[in-house]
Amino acid sequence: MRYALLLPDNRYLAACYEATGSGILITDKAEDACTYVTLEKALAVAQAVAPNMSQVPCVVEVNH
């Protein structure tokens, strides 16, 4: 089981490796989302990115 971060508008957080920007990408596809092995890590990331987002992400289980 893995965990992803989901925004209230049903979009997921993914990593963006561009030289500029926040490093956060928003995607409609669950398969493109960053995933975490532990619930604790997913919660820590959600807490870390929340100040930079206009929405607070929630942690959801994913099966991919």
Side-chain angles (χ1 to χ4, degrees):
M1 180 172 324
R2 295 185 69 88
Y3 302 92
L5 302 180
L6 181 67
L7 295 172
D9 60 1
N10 291 323
R11 295 186 301 161
Y12 295 87
L13 274 66
C16 179
Y17 297 101
E18 298 293 323
T20 60
S22 66
I24 300 171
L25 177 70
I26 308 298
T27 180
D28 294 328
K29 298 179 181 181
E31 304 84 34
D32 293 339
C34 291
T35 61
Y36 307 93
V37 175
T38 66
L39 179 58
E40 292 79 11
K41 182 63 175 180
L43 290 169
V45 173
Q47 184 178 15
V49 301
N52 297 323
M53 307 293 299
S54 59
Q55 305 170 42
V56 177
C58 64
V59 176
V60 295
E61 292 180 13
V62 292
N63 291 319
H64 60 269

